[in-house]
Amino acid sequence: MKYNRKYNQNNNQNNNQNNTIKYKRLKMSLVMATTIPFFVFSQGAHAKAKGAVLEEIVVTAQKRSQNLQDIPLSVSVFTGNDLKKFGIIQPADLARFTPGLYVKPTVGDQNPVFTIRGVGFNDFTSIQSPGTAIYVNQVVVPYPSMMSFQLFDMERIEVLKGPQGTLYGRNSTAGAINFVTRQPSQQAGGRARLDYSSWNSFNGEAAYGGALSDSLSARVAVSVYERTGSYQTNRRYKNSNYGTKDRIAGRIILLWQPSDDFDLTINLHAGRDKSGPVALEHVGTVSAKTGKEPCAPVALGYRSEGTCVDYGGYFDPDHNHYAGDYSVKNGGVNNRAWGFSATANWDMGAVKLTSVSGYDKFIRHQLQDIDASPFVFLDVTFDDSTWALSQEFRLTSQSDGPFSWILGTFYSKDSVVARQDVNATDLVGTHAIISNHQDSYSIALFSHFGYDLTARLKIIGGARYTRENKKWTGGSDLVGIAAVHGNDRISNDDLSGQIGLQYHPGDDVMLYATFSKSFRSGGFP
């Protein structure tokens, strides 16, 4: 089986492109992350340059409204205006503007894998818990397949670096990213925006909110992202829909405040994505001369099309990263998501009780030409059905004394039914079916405290107990040749925590040092 199209190999030396595809065996493992950030300057120090003014940045990274200058964490904050200015329209875009945050796009641009400070988990399958916890209005998003949602009508985004376990319901080894949407208020008002860019791209959003009664207010927001032109070309077929976009999402938030001591927020949200596929870049790994793998440039970490080919003898004929010879003419995404959350706050004087409940459902259907060649080697169809339920309770101290604390409990349960149909007809004469059905639940108790030793020196710390259980059934079936199926369980317990010191030598400077230990339970490869 040889690809007979002739190309000039001299035009295919892309040795400066480190696009090597590496396959590694994955093992079930426990992951513990320990970080010791030595004395560093807190972000948000007042600007001293003449004429420079920096307004106070208020965040809720520590589950209470605080000035960023007073938080002993490495935090990057993006306001709603920042998102507009930087063109951030989905979570993966944050990596372009956040030091230490890396996003690996997998399965096109639909399944981002987040890494913070080099800590992460390099597995894109639908049943793996990520190293970075993602929260939307305090509700955790448990799996990477659910993390390509649209960003619209946002209040701010907080990127927390380092293990997070004493303040958040879901434990994370790398860090946490908080997405906070604009909330309703009694004041009526709205906003609308429509952007047009190349390839007939339209990105628009609109929101409006105000009072429904003296105690009830609402806010409605909608976002549309359409790209009818394609920036990617399939040389084999005309009128392919590679690179097109067709996304819509909406949100309704109700805020009920019957008294000064109690408020309840109900969030209803939904969205769908029917975009075209995002093409991958072909990487030949077989030596054109010897037929052995890996070819020499790939073994050194370089892409060298022509010198290196695939098993059918094909290599990418030019330097155009936006064109290829794909076996899939049309396909792409048909994803749907919906859910709700309820957040209640009860001010009891010395303490505040907070309840955060969330439920989300996600259905994915996506076709991807993984081998990026004219052969049907790895044309994969992803079909997933995921639901996730979570409940968090927190007690937060509100006294003005030297001691402050948070006590919380967290429960989550989720289920993933996933199937990958791998069409490998031109490679092995059949197709493979990879199935996963995983049910998980997690319970946790967490605490955080701060104590003022002096007017300028404070000790901080916390502890966490986590128990997680996962039940898995699935396997691999090379249709007509061989099949392996099975089931298994994982049960993990962990005690982790944090201790540190926070020092203010002056009003404009904070120094801190922390030691943190965090945990991520094992999974099934």
Side-chain angles (χ1 to χ4, degrees):
M1 180 172 56
K2 206 73 174 174
Y3 195 72
N4 295 321
R5 186 174 177 179
K6 297 181 179 180
Y7 300 115
N8 183 355
Q9 295 189 13
N10 294 329
N11 293 327
N12 293 281
Q13 306 302 319
N14 271 342
N15 290 346
N16 62 330
Q17 299 291 329
N18 188 5
N19 292 330
T20 307
I21 296 178
K22 299 180 180 179
Y23 296 92
K24 297 181 179 179
R25 184 180 181 184
L26 300 175
K27 298 180 179 179
M28 291 182 291
S29 62
L30 297 180
V31 179
M32 293 188 299
T34 303
T35 63
I36 309 177
F38 292 97
F39 290 108
V40 298
F41 285 98
S42 167
Q43 296 183 354
H46 294 291
K48 292 297 186 180
K50 183 178 179 180
V53 177
L54 181 64
E55 64 178 292
E56 181 179 279
I57 301 176
V58 177
V59 297
T60 54
Q62 294 195 127
K63 299 299 185 179
R64 61 179 87 219
S65 296
Q66 293 174 288
N67 185 345
L68 182 61
Q69 175 69 10
D70 298 327
I71 297 179
L73 289 170
S74 178
V75 185
S76 296
V77 181
F78 299 87
T79 67
N81 290 332
D82 291 334
L83 303 184
K84 177 182 177 181
K85 180 171 60 177
F86 298 148
I88 298 174
I89 60 176
Q90 58 186 5
D93 297 335
L94 290 171
R96 303 201 308 267
F97 307 98
T98 309
L101 173 65
Y102 173 73
V103 178
K104 179 179 180 179
T106 64
V107 195
D109 62 348
Q110 297 293 319
N111 201 89
V113 176
F114 291 85
T115 299
I116 296 180
R117 291 175 171 170
V119 179
F121 192 60
N122 191 25
D123 191 330
F124 62 87
T125 52
S126 304
I127 61 172
Q128 297 297 352
S129 300
T132 301
I134 304 295
Y135 295 88
V136 179
N137 293 329
Q138 303 187 66
V139 176
V140 68
V141 180
Y143 295 108
S145 58
M146 307 169 74
M147 295 179 182
S148 62
F149 50 86
Q150 292 172 256
L151 300 178
F152 61 101
D153 200 33
M154 301 296 298
E155 179 69 28
R156 68 182 179 278
I157 300 174
E158 304 165 356
V159 181
L160 286 64
K161 302 168 187 176
Q164 306 295 327
T166 62
L167 286 161
Y168 290 84
R170 174 75 72 177
N171 199 57
S172 61
T173 53
I177 304 178
N178 297 326
F179 296 88
V180 183
T181 65
R182 296 183 188 273
Q183 300 299 301
S185 69
Q186 288 284 301
Q187 183 176 357
R191 58 196 299 270
R193 177 176 63 88
L194 179 63
D195 297 332
Y196 175 80
S197 57
S198 56
W199 310 109
N200 288 329
S201 299
F202 295 88
N203 184 20
E205 63 176 90
Y208 187 82
L212 300 179
S213 70
D214 291 341
S215 60
L216 183 65
S217 55
R219 187 172 183 88
V220 179
V222 65
S223 173
V224 177
Y225 183 21
E226 297 284 340
R227 181 194 293 144
T228 59
S230 176
Y231 69 97
Q232 294 183 315
T233 301
N234 187 348
R235 290 187 290 253
R236 295 196 71 208
Y237 300 105
K238 293 183 178 180
N239 302 319
S240 293
N241 64 339
Y242 279 83
T244 60
K245 291 293 181 185
D246 182 6
R247 290 181 171 183
I248 186 170
R251 183 190 307 122
I252 300 174
I253 302 180
L254 299 173
L255 173 60
W256 182 46
Q257 295 176 295
S259 68
D260 294 337
D261 301 330
F262 180 83
D263 63 77
L264 173 65
T265 303
I266 303 294
N267 184 326
L268 305 174
H269 49 270
R272 65 114 174 109
D273 187 351
K274 300 184 72 174
S275 302
V278 175
L280 305 180
E281 184 80 1
H282 182 269
V283 179
T285 59
V286 179
S287 172
K289 292 183 178 180
T290 65
K292 296 182 179 180
E293 187 181 25
C295 64
V298 169
L300 295 174
Y302 297 103
R303 177 174 180 262
S304 182
E305 295 295 287
T307 303
C308 305
V309 298
D310 68 9
Y311 281 111
Y314 170 79
F315 59 91
D316 198 337
D318 56 34
H319 294 279
N320 187 353
H321 299 295
Y322 305 104
D325 300 280
Y326 311 118
S327 58
V328 175
K329 178 180 179 181
N330 287 305
V333 179
N334 186 6
N335 296 345
R336 292 163 287 157
W338 61 90
F340 71 88
S341 65
T343 303
N345 295 289
W346 184 17
D347 190 337
M348 302 159 56
V351 298
K352 180 172 72 172
L353 174 63
T354 300
S355 169
V356 182
S357 309
Y359 175 85
D360 282 287
K361 176 77 173 183
F362 176 75
I363 296 176
R364 174 170 72 163
H365 176 82
Q366 182 172 355
L367 173 60
Q368 189 77 43
D369 186 348
I370 300 294
D371 59 278
S373 81
F375 298 115
V376 183
F377 284 164
L378 290 173
D379 293 354
V380 183
T381 302
F382 298 86
D383 281 299
D384 303 342
S385 178
T386 303
W387 62 262
L389 175 70
S390 63
Q391 174 64 54
E392 179 178 335
F393 292 105
R394 292 195 311 270
L395 279 174
T396 305
S397 66
Q398 298 191 121
S399 64
D400 295 328
F403 184 63
S404 60
W405 52 268
I406 294 176
L407 294 175
T409 180
F410 175 77
Y411 171 82
S412 70
K413 182 176 178 60
D414 58 65
S415 177
V416 181
V417 179
R419 170 187 167 118
Q420 297 177 36
D421 193 317
V422 184
N423 191 342
T425 303
D426 291 343
L427 188 64
V428 293
T430 185
H431 65 107
I433 298 175
I434 304 167
S435 60
N436 290 289
H437 181 184
Q438 178 176 283
D439 295 317
S440 307
Y441 84 85
S442 174
I443 58 172
L445 300 174
F446 59 94
S447 64
H448 188 82
F449 75 89
Y451 183 76
D452 295 327
L453 299 174
T454 69
R456 295 188 178 275
L457 182 63
K458 183 176 185 178
I459 184 172
I460 56 174
R464 177 189 182 90
Y465 170 76
T466 307
R467 179 175 180 82
E468 293 193 3
N469 285 277
K470 298 180 180 180
K471 178 183 177 181
W472 172 86
T473 301
S476 300
D477 184 2
L478 197 59
V479 178
I481 298 178
V484 179
H485 295 271
N487 59 81
D488 205 349
R489 292 176 180 264
I490 290 178
S491 180
N492 293 139
D493 296 84
D494 181 76
L495 183 64
S496 56
Q498 179 192 59
I499 192 71
L501 288 173
Q502 176 181 345
Y503 178 61
H504 287 265
D507 294 337
D508 298 335
V509 177
M510 182 182 71
L511 306 175
Y512 68 92
T514 60
F515 177 89
S516 302
K517 174 182 175 291
S518 193
F519 160 84
R520 195 192 70 83
S521 67
F524 299 96

